[in-house]
Amino acid sequence: MSCSTCIFHQARRLRIVDVSSAKVDLDSDVSVPSEPSEPQGSVFASALLVAGTTVGAGILAVPAISQPAGFIASSAGLVGCCALMIATGLLMAEVAINRITDLQGQGRGSEAASLSVMSMAQSTLGAGGARAVSALYLFQHYCLLVAYISRAGELVGGALGTSSGAGSVGFALGVGTACALLPVAVLDAANSAMVVGVVATFAGLVVLVAPMVQASALLAPPVWSELPHALPVMALAFVYQNVVPVVVKDLGADVRRVRAAIVLGSLLPLAMFLVWEAVVLGAMGGASAGVDPLASLAAQPGAAGSLVEGFSFLAIVTSYIGFCLGLSDFLGDALG
């Protein structure tokens, strides 16, 4: 991911600029003042934050779950899930912008600076709604962290010749301790380096496996009845909404800039997912039913297997760090 860790570290350092005291709707033509009190972030940088949060371990599960439906049907499912997640992100951004303008209009700028998913739910849904949203947020993070630890344990165990259980414990202790103890600057640098590794291994895989892609596998008749089984995983692969408040604050609650960052930051992962589907399903489309095409690709001799393992591990680590720190920030807001 484009530095999931950096996202949450930046969230601690950001300051909100003054915006109009009027409520703003994402479909309106209202804009904020052109001269904020502090410099605003760039749309491109914020789009990368969205894209980086989206592209993580979820990309590893999509080929296996979508293989029975075929490339055509799974591509349609990915496009639909991306459109749904763009819509939900824009709706969350509207809530965040309106909440910030309300708080600043009341002279409560410090509360605007600490805006979070929980405080947004509190202002729109009341105390009961905030508790429900908090419970769902915690449950989602728990499920994702368990999935990350389990898959990472398999990779670590396979590399070290130990059991997956021992690998999971070692991974959780190692990365968790690093998140808890390392300074912000060190974690930023480490995660940025791993993001470069994710991009490099993905590009290497695409170049290496592209000659193995069979057009017949990509153009096979779609099995639409199998698509509903893959949609939940596809939708989960596009999750980024936990950083929407950060994007809104970083862009000074400017409607057009926020909207552009969310749309662009969602379309970049969509392109990456489609390429990934084409490469994996096109090259391993002949794998037996029930066999993970990504596992089949990893079993290939030579550099392909190593690149798959490296890409998988780095994607999991960057996702794990980001969600771990995001959960920490959420709990800090809830308990503080």
Side-chain angles (χ1 to χ4, degrees):
M1 31 172 88
S2 173
C3 196
S4 295
T5 308
C6 301
I7 297 172
F8 295 104
H9 290 160
Q10 287 179 30
R12 297 187 179 99
R13 297 194 293 258
L14 290 175
R15 296 294 183 269
I16 305 303
V17 299
D18 290 332
V19 296
S20 170
S21 60
K23 285 193 174 183
V24 183
D25 187 278
L26 285 173
D27 293 325
S28 71
D29 293 325
V30 180
S31 60
V32 298
S34 59
E35 295 183 359
S37 58
E38 294 185 22
Q40 296 178 332
S42 71
V43 171
F44 183 69
S46 294
L48 289 181
L49 297 184
V50 173
T53 306
T54 303
V55 178
I59 195 173
L60 305 177
V62 172
I65 198 69
S66 63
Q67 182 186 18
F71 176 73
I72 295 176
S74 61
S75 296
L78 287 170
V79 172
C81 288
C82 179
L84 173 63
M85 290 306 188
I86 289 176
T88 59
L90 292 175
L91 289 172
M92 285 191 64
E94 180 177 342
V95 174
I97 292 172
N98 286 337
R99 181 59 178 164
I100 287 175
T101 55
D102 280 346
L103 291 172
Q104 291 190 334
Q106 299 168 14
R108 298 156 63 187
S110 60
E111 293 183 38
S114 60
L115 185 73
S116 68
V117 172
M118 188 178 68
S119 59
M120 289 164 55
Q122 176 77 35
S123 66
T124 56
L125 303 176
R131 284 192 291 269
V133 169
S134 298
L136 292 173
Y137 185 91
L138 291 172
F139 178 72
Q140 179 200 47
H141 276 61
Y142 172 80
C143 292
L144 289 173
L145 291 177
V146 167
Y148 295 160
I149 293 172
S150 176
R151 178 57 179 151
E154 295 175 4
L155 295 172
V156 173
L160 300 180
T162 63
S163 67
S164 59
S168 295
V169 172
F171 174 83
L173 287 176
V175 180
T177 301
C179 291
L181 300 180
L182 289 180
V184 171
V186 175
L187 273 179
D188 279 345
N191 199 70
S192 296
M194 285 185 285
V195 169
V196 173
V198 169
V199 175
T201 52
F202 177 80
L205 271 173
V206 171
V207 171
L208 190 64
V209 181
M212 302 168 56
V213 174
Q214 302 174 12
S216 58
L218 298 180
L219 300 178
V223 184
W224 296 104
S225 60
E226 295 289 344
L227 181 60
H229 303 291
L231 289 178
V233 175
M234 291 180 176
L236 187 61
F238 282 98
V239 168
Y240 65 88
Q241 286 80 353
N242 52 340
V243 299
V244 168
V246 178
V247 171
V248 170
K249 291 184 287 187
D250 196 18
L251 295 178
D254 185 303
V255 176
R256 293 184 180 86
R257 288 155 57 85
V258 170
R259 181 165 47 199
I262 290 176
V263 172
L264 178 59
S266 299
L267 293 180
L268 291 175
L270 174 63
M272 190 172 179
F273 283 13
L274 291 174
V275 171
W276 181 243
E277 281 280 279
V279 168
V280 177
L281 295 184
M284 297 291 127
S288 302
V291 176
D292 186 347
L294 186 60
S296 300
L297 184 59
Q300 296 293 312
S306 299
L307 286 172
V308 169
E309 296 295 327
F311 174 74
S312 301
F313 182 75
L314 291 173
I316 289 172
V317 172
T318 53
S319 296
Y320 181 87
I321 292 175
F323 273 90
C324 188
L325 292 176
L327 183 59
S328 175
D329 283 352
F330 177 84
L331 292 174
D333 182 33
L335 300 176

